[in-house]
Amino acid sequence: MNEALLRSLTPSVLGILVRRGADFAAAEDAVQDALVEAVRVWPAEPPRDPKAWLVTVAWRRFLDATRADTARRRREDLVDEEPAPGPAPAADDTLQLYFLCAHPSLTPSSAVALTLRAVGGLTTRQIAQAYLVPEATMAQRISRAKRTVSGIRFDQPGDVATVLRVLYLVFNEGYSGDVDLSAEAIRLTRQLAAAIDHPEVAGLLALMLLHHARRATRTGPDGSLVPLAEQDRGRWDTASIAEGVEILQTALARDRLGQFQAEAAIAALHADARTAGETDWVQIVEWYDELVRLTDSPVVRLNRAVAVGEADGPRAGLAALAELDDSLPRHTAVAAYLHEREGDLATAARLYADAAQKAPDLAERDYLTRQAARLNARLRG
C-alpha cells in the first residue's frame, strides 16, 4: 500500500467532489471513507487508475450519505408529527439509558452525540449547533456511532463524566435553544445526585439551578435578548439560587474541584451581586483561571477575556482577546463590546455589525444589529 500516493491524491479527489456539488465537510467524510476502503482493497486488487477509483468510491459514499441524511430528516419530521403519547409508566429508566448509550466502545464525543440524539430528544441540527460543526458532519458522526455499537450488548454502562457532559448539553439546548429540555435535564441531574455521591454531579446541579434561576429575565416580551447586566434581578428565582449556592458550597468543601463546580462558582458570584456594578469581577477572573487550568478551552478563554476587561479595564481585556483565534464563535462580539468600553465607538459599531452576520440564531443577530445601530446613531449625532 502506497500511503504517499493516497496522501498526494486526497486534495485533488476532494476538489473534484466539491466541484460536483458536494458540501466540503461531507466531501471530506466521503474521501476519508474512500481512503479507508482503499487501504482494505488495494493490496489484493490494485486499481489501474488510483485517482479515478478514489473519485468513484468517494462520490458513491457521498451519495449514500446524502440519501441517508434525507431519509433521516424525513424520519425526524414524522416523529415530530406523531401525537403525544399516553401516560408514562411509573418506572423511569431515562437516566439508565444515558449511561448505556455512553458505551465504553465509543469515544466520549461520539457517545455524547449518540445519546443526545437517541435519548435526549435533540435533532441532528441542534446537536451540530452545540458542537459548532456542519449538520452533515454530525449526521455522519452519529451514524458511525450507531454502527460501532450495533450488535454490542449494552451491559457495560459508560462513565459519569460522559453522562454529565450529555446532561450539560441537553440543559444548554433547553436553556438557550428552541426546544425546552432544561427542566428535564435538571430532573435527571437531581436523580443522579441522589444516586451518586460525586462533587461534579453536585457542581452540575448547582450550575443548572443558578442559570435556570435567571431564565425568566433573559428575554424581553418580544423575545429579544436581555444581557445579564440589564436583567431585572428582582425577578430572579431566589429559592433556586439559594439551593444552588448551598449545593455548590457542600461540593467545594470536599476539595475535589472540577469544571462544573468552577462554572457554578462563577454563576454564584453573578447571582450574589445585587446590581451589575457590584459584581466581584476579580474573583470571577480567578475562577476563570481555574477553568482554563481544568479545561484549556478556547471558549473559556474567551469568557475570561470579558471578565478581565471588567476587572482590569477594556485594554487588558483586548490584550487577553488578542491571544485567541479570531475565528472563535462570538470572538467578534466580545471584541465589539470591549472596544465600546474603551471608547472606540466606530470600531465597536463595525464589529457589532460583523458579529451580527456570524450570529448562530435570530435573537442574537437582532441584538447585535441593534447594538451596531445604537452606536452608529451616537456617531452621527
Side-chain angles (χ1 to χ4, degrees):
M1 169 57 59
N2 191 334
E3 294 183 6
L5 174 62
L6 287 177
R7 286 196 297 270
S8 67
L9 290 175
T10 297
S12 60
V13 173
L14 181 60
I16 290 171
L17 265 64
V18 171
R19 287 194 294 275
R20 287 186 178 182
D23 170 80
F24 185 81
E28 271 192 319
D29 285 333
V31 171
Q32 288 300 318
D33 286 345
L35 293 176
V36 171
E37 186 69 6
V39 171
R40 186 182 70 84
V41 171
W42 285 11
E45 303 176 30
R48 285 179 294 179
D49 188 340
K51 181 177 178 180
W53 189 97
L54 286 171
V55 169
T56 299
V57 173
W59 184 248
R60 286 174 181 166
R61 294 300 173 91
F62 167 72
L63 293 177
D64 289 343
T66 301
R67 294 189 191 101
D69 184 60
T70 301
R72 172 187 55 77
R73 286 173 179 270
R74 178 57 184 156
R75 288 194 299 271
E76 290 180 357
D77 290 341
L78 289 173
V79 169
D80 292 339
E81 294 166 5
E82 288 180 356
D92 182 0
D93 58 358
T94 306
L95 192 58
Q96 181 183 6
L97 289 175
Y98 272 67
F99 273 93
L100 292 177
C101 282
H103 197 273
S105 64
L106 295 172
T107 63
S109 62
S110 294
V112 169
L114 178 62
T115 313
L116 288 172
R117 181 71 193 97
V119 188
L122 274 65
T123 65
T124 305
R125 176 182 59 83
Q126 291 164 333
I127 302 169
Q129 289 175 344
Y131 273 90
L132 306 175
V133 299
E135 183 179 352
T137 300
M138 182 53 66
Q140 290 216 353
R141 184 179 300 177
I142 294 171
S143 294
R144 287 179 182 139
K146 290 178 178 177
R147 289 197 299 269
T148 298
V149 299
S150 62
I152 293 177
R153 286 178 56 84
F154 278 73
D155 54 1
Q156 300 179 58
D159 64 357
V160 174
T162 300
V163 173
L164 289 179
R165 179 64 178 163
V166 175
L167 289 168
Y168 187 41
L169 288 174
V170 170
F171 175 81
N172 282 338
E173 183 61 38
Y175 184 65
S176 61
D178 53 7
V179 177
D180 189 359
L181 295 168
S182 54
E184 173 68 359
I186 291 174
R187 184 184 72 85
L188 291 173
T189 306
R190 284 190 187 279
Q191 285 188 6
L192 186 58
I196 299 177
D197 184 18
H198 193 299
E200 272 294 82
V201 176
L204 178 57
L205 179 57
L207 177 62
M208 289 178 174
L209 291 170
L210 290 164
H211 278 316
H212 203 61
R214 304 198 301 258
R215 183 170 188 176
T217 64
R218 293 185 69 251
T219 57
D222 59 353
S224 59
L225 288 180
V226 179
L228 177 62
E230 299 173 19
Q231 290 175 13
D232 180 358
R233 298 177 182 230
R235 295 176 56 209
W236 286 358
D237 184 347
T238 54
S240 291
I241 291 173
E243 182 185 7
V245 169
E246 182 180 0
I247 292 170
L248 173 63
Q249 288 175 340
T250 302
L252 291 175
R254 301 179 63 177
D255 199 22
R256 290 169 54 192
L257 184 64
Q259 174 187 350
F260 295 122
Q261 294 170 75
E263 289 190 25
I266 293 170
L269 286 167
H270 283 299
D272 187 55
R274 291 178 297 175
T275 67
E278 296 178 53
T279 304
D280 190 342
W281 287 106
V282 173
Q283 270 204 72
I284 288 176
V285 171
E286 291 174 355
W287 278 112
Y288 271 122
D289 289 339
E290 291 288 348
L291 264 178
V292 169
R293 181 182 62 81
L294 290 166
T295 69
D296 196 29
S297 163
V299 174
V300 170
R301 291 181 183 275
L302 182 68
N303 292 332
R304 179 185 178 277
V306 176
V308 169
E310 299 288 353
D312 301 328
R315 189 165 298 180
L318 287 168
L321 188 65
E323 299 175 1
L324 303 177
D325 186 345
D326 61 9
S327 67
L328 192 65
R330 296 190 173 88
H331 184 285
T332 307
V334 171
Y337 173 74
L338 292 172
H339 276 289
E340 180 184 358
R341 288 217 41 226
E342 195 181 20
D344 187 352
L345 302 190
T347 299
R350 175 179 57 80
L351 289 172
Y352 274 129
D354 290 346
Q357 297 298 317
K358 305 173 184 176
D361 57 64
L362 182 60
E364 187 171 339
R365 181 161 64 248
D366 287 348
Y367 170 76
L368 293 168
T369 300
R370 289 197 303 272
Q371 295 297 95
R374 173 179 59 82
L375 293 185
N376 284 323
R378 287 180 61 184
L379 290 168
R380 289 193 299 269

